[in-house]
Amino acid sequence: MELARVDEALDKLDKKSEPIKHLIQSIQTYQAELEFQNAELIEKGDENNSLREHYFSLFTNLPLPAITIDKRLNILESNLSAKSHFLLESVSEFTQKSLYRIFDFENVQRIIQGIIQSKIAKETKIDHLFLKKNDKTYVFNLFINYIKGTSTVSEKYMLVFEDISIEHAFIKQNALFSSVLDSASDALIALDNMANITTFSNNLQRLFKPRTPFTKQNLLAELPRKIADIIFNYAGNRASRKARVDKVVELSNDKMEMSQWFRINCFPINKDGEVIGAGFMISDESHYIKRERELELAIRVFNEGQQGIVVTDANYCILQANKAFEDIFGYAEEEIIGQSANLLKSDYHDVSFFERKWSDISQRGEWEGEIWNRHKDGSACAQWMSVSAHPKDSAIPSNYILVFRDISHQKMQEQQISELVYYDTLTGCGNRRLLEKTIESLTNGIHKEGFALFFIDLDYFKLINDVHGHDMGDKLLKAATSRLKRLIRERDEIFRLGGDEFLVLFNGLKEDDMEQKAMMILDAAKSPYNIEQKQLHISASIGISQYPKDGEDFITLLKHADAALYEAKESGRRGFRFFAPSIFSSMQRKVNLEQQLRSCMQRDEMSLVYMPILDCTNLTCEKAEVLLRWTSGELGHILPQEFIPVAEKSDLIHYITRFVLERTLEAIRHLNGISDRRLRLSINVSVLDLRNEAFFRTILKLLEQNCDISGQLIFELTENVFADDLERIKVNMNRLKAYGVSISIDDFGTSYSSLSYLTTLPIDELKIDREFTSNLFKNENNEKICKAVCVMAHSLNYSCVAEGVETEQQFDWLKEAGCDFSQGFLHRRPQTFDKFIENYATPTKS
């Protein structure tokens, strides 16, 4: 109507208002357009309202909890599902609340990160969002959608929650089940009807330790073949799969050194009454099977073992005994059941022994040791016994286990071994080991008492052995031992250290009585021994050391007794010496002499002098004795009587003999070169030179090289050369004679007692010792001996030489007695080679 009025008013306008009319017409056109657009907007608004209502209906009835929030995290809208899931009174309870009031800080931070991501990707998912409400925990997966507004202020976000609480609980429970299964000692394997692996527990890796980790694809290939075959055969046979099967498999390593046992329990897997697969529980039964076998073995050992075994109650009353116990003690089982095990006690041990035994049992739960028990017949028997409390760690044991091992045979063997180890089998005396053990016991004891060691050496025993044989020598040693035993007290002991050396240990012997005891031993030793219708003669030398005066340990005491014995033998044997520190001074002197001897010839300290030997009929010099002199740059002039024994105790005597022999051969060759007279020179040769085959060959080689003059040599030997290895000496003397060497017996009548060698050995000369000639008129017996030697020599076609002639009276008597040659200071003292040539080897060659 308004438009009609406007049109009517326009018709009444005159033509002057034509522009206005055009403007109005334009307005009318625009208005018509506006009305048209407005009609469209109304139509669109209705459509939008319809869409909004549709969206709201979808949002509200969405089965998943959903909310919208602005960028300040304030909740704008929420649906009904959110109310039911979050236990809200109404939907509006969410509205205008901050997310911080619904979720904890950590979860809100995760949501913020999702919001930031959604502006880029339009949609973001957050897994496992946790919400606690009324002591209940919900787990959601969250989907975030960015909703763009007309401005940044109107931006908002839709959050849709997917409740996975049930699934999460199931997964967690399943993980717990898997963890329990993996941690269990038994392993699980499951297969489907096609014999494909569907699952297995990870503890299979621990059970079998495969070269490569198990997978579903390689499991059957990597399992031990015996086990894989059982699984495959059971799973592949539907008929047999209906029942459970239990099998035990033994597996051994490549070297068959160790076995393992596995039990496989095979069972069907059913679902809704149908078999859908097969399951296998595998367990390591090694421990149990080994225990079973150990138990079987223990029972067998108990019943069949060689050791006696008894089980008692807490009061030590016997409950059970095995067959070996019956054999060891002689009791039948029915005789001892209910009896106290103390019936086995003997009287061998004192009370303190059993107190120590039960103290160990109460403190450690066990005792073990050697014990003497009583047999049923009353005899004592040696056993190795162990007692164990059961239970071992219990303060009040319920049982005791007694194990007995008969060691009677072992004790007998120990006694035999002890006799072999600690006793001399020939004489029954203790040996050096027992001596050392005895002395250590005496010196380490609480109640120490003085004692003395008598170190005894039987003089000339080796001679008896060589002349009469070892069997005779053994009988002599037994006889000497019997004499010694009669001279000692019950508390004293005799030891044989080897060969002809004995040691007597006198306990608590007073020093005043030691000399008397030594004299008794010497007298007993020198008395004749009548063995197998032969009378044998020996003597003894004794060295004595005392504890604690001469030492406080075995080594020192024995060394000092040995030093005293050495001194006694050096002093002429048949005597005794107490140890004194001065003995070591003498021994040190000998050590120094030996050291100097080893280098004296290089330093040209040795020289030779010549002692003329005159014919008693015309006093012409037919021969001379070559004597060795030593003037040491450190020790001065040393007599042969001192250094020759030292040289003989080492290898130096051979060097000395060679030195003298070489110089003497040079002297003979020189004398022959200046004179027609063939003077003979004699040298002293040690018995050791003749016994040492290697050195004796050196002597023969020198004689071979000088065979044209070797006949001018005389070898002087002392009588003791015949006291040992007589046959070898005889052979070597004949080898010397083959080169023309004459043999003279020096110091005749002072040593060897048997004269039988004079008729069997190739001897040329006897020399009367100076002991007889220098004392010729002081003792009537000396005259008789000298006369007898001259007669004996002539009767055997030997020449006779008197040594030590110092007066005209001695010379005249010896000449009258028939002595052939004279040697001594009456005629000449020992001279240098030049002086000897001047006096007795007048040159006859131009």
Side-chain angles (χ1 to χ4, degrees), residues 189 191 195 197 208 210-211 214 217-234 247-254 260 262 264 280 282:
I189 301 175
L191 285 77
I197 303 293
F208 293 104
R211 292 187 296 271
F214 288 138
Q217 290 73 31
N218 73 359
L219 180 59
L220 290 177
E222 290 293 330
L223 279 173
R225 178 47 48 199
K226 289 183 179 180
I227 293 178
D229 287 345
I230 290 173
I231 292 173
F232 188 79
N233 292 335
Y234 182 83
K247 293 190 176 184
V248 175
V249 176
E250 180 181 0
L251 301 179
S252 301
N253 61 10
D254 294 337
Q260 281 184 288
F262 294 92
I264 307 175
F280 304 89
I282 304 176

Side-chain angles (χ1 to χ4, degrees), residues 482-663:
S482 297
R483 292 187 183 184
L484 285 174
K485 287 181 177 178
R486 290 196 292 269
L487 296 175
I488 66 173
R489 303 162 301 174
E490 186 175 346
R491 61 189 304 199
D492 305 325
E493 297 181 67
I494 301 176
F495 303 88
R496 183 184 174 208
L497 303 188
D500 57 357
E501 292 181 338
F502 291 83
L503 190 140
V504 182
L505 190 154
F506 288 101
N507 280 297
L509 186 67
K510 295 180 180 178
E511 189 169 355
D512 296 341
D513 298 329
M514 291 180 189
E515 184 172 341
Q516 180 184 1
K517 187 65 71 173
M519 290 302 300
M520 291 171 63
I521 293 173
L522 294 176
D523 290 341
K526 72 181 181 180
S527 297
Y529 294 84
N530 294 305
I531 301 174
E532 294 185 355
Q533 299 180 347
K534 292 181 181 179
Q535 191 175 79
L536 306 177
H537 295 270
I538 58 172
S539 61
S541 300
I542 305 173
I544 304 171
S545 66
Q546 304 173 61
Y547 171 83
K549 176 183 176 182
D550 299 325
E552 297 186 356
D553 60 84
F554 167 73
I555 298 296
T556 304
L557 287 167
L558 188 64
K559 181 176 71 173
H560 288 174
D562 190 30
L565 173 63
Y566 176 84
E567 186 71 13
K569 292 171 76 69
E570 288 288 298
S571 301
R573 308 190 183 195
R574 306 184 188 89
F576 65 90
R577 289 289 184 275
F578 286 93
F579 172 76
S582 59
I583 290 177
F584 280 131
S585 299
S586 174
M587 294 176 71
Q588 185 60 48
R589 166 78 173 177
K590 292 180 175 65
V591 171
N592 289 339
L593 282 175
E594 182 179 340
Q595 291 175 345
Q596 293 299 315
L597 269 174
R598 291 192 180 277
S599 57
C600 69
M601 282 179 277
Q602 284 80 6
R603 294 195 299 267
D604 200 25
E605 294 178 350
M606 291 285 187
S607 61
L608 301 180
V609 293
Y610 300 82
M611 185 75 168
I613 301 175
L614 305 183
D615 189 325
C616 290
T617 58
N618 53 24
L619 293 181
T620 59
C621 180
E622 300 293 335
K623 51 191 172 183
E625 181 177 358
V626 180
L627 302 174
L628 183 63
R629 293 292 181 263
W630 178 24
T631 302
S632 169
E634 182 175 328
L635 302 175
H637 182 66
I638 304 164
L639 295 175
Q641 296 94 309
E642 184 178 10
F643 70 78
I644 290 298
V646 173
E648 287 185 326
K649 285 182 167 52
S650 65
D651 58 348
L652 296 174
I653 188 63
H654 303 315
Y655 294 100
I656 290 174
T657 299
R658 179 169 184 168
F659 170 80
V660 174
L661 179 58
E662 289 175 342
R663 296 295 184 276

Side-chain angles (χ1 to χ4, degrees), residues 688-706:
L688 300 176
D689 297 328
L690 298 186
R691 289 179 188 164
N692 189 313
E693 187 62 30
F695 179 70
F696 190 73
R697 285 197 295 270
T698 301
I699 293 178
L700 295 179
K701 186 176 181 180
L702 286 172
L703 295 177
E704 175 72 27
Q705 294 169 351
N706 296 274

Side-chain angles (χ1 to χ4, degrees), residues 80 95-96 127 131 138 189 248 250 327 455 539 551 623 625 698:
L80 294 174
T95 308
Q96 302 304 316
D127 294 324
L131 172 65
Y138 295 88
I189 301 175
V248 175
E250 180 181 0
D327 296 338
F455 202 151
S539 61
K623 51 191 172 183
E625 181 177 358
T698 301

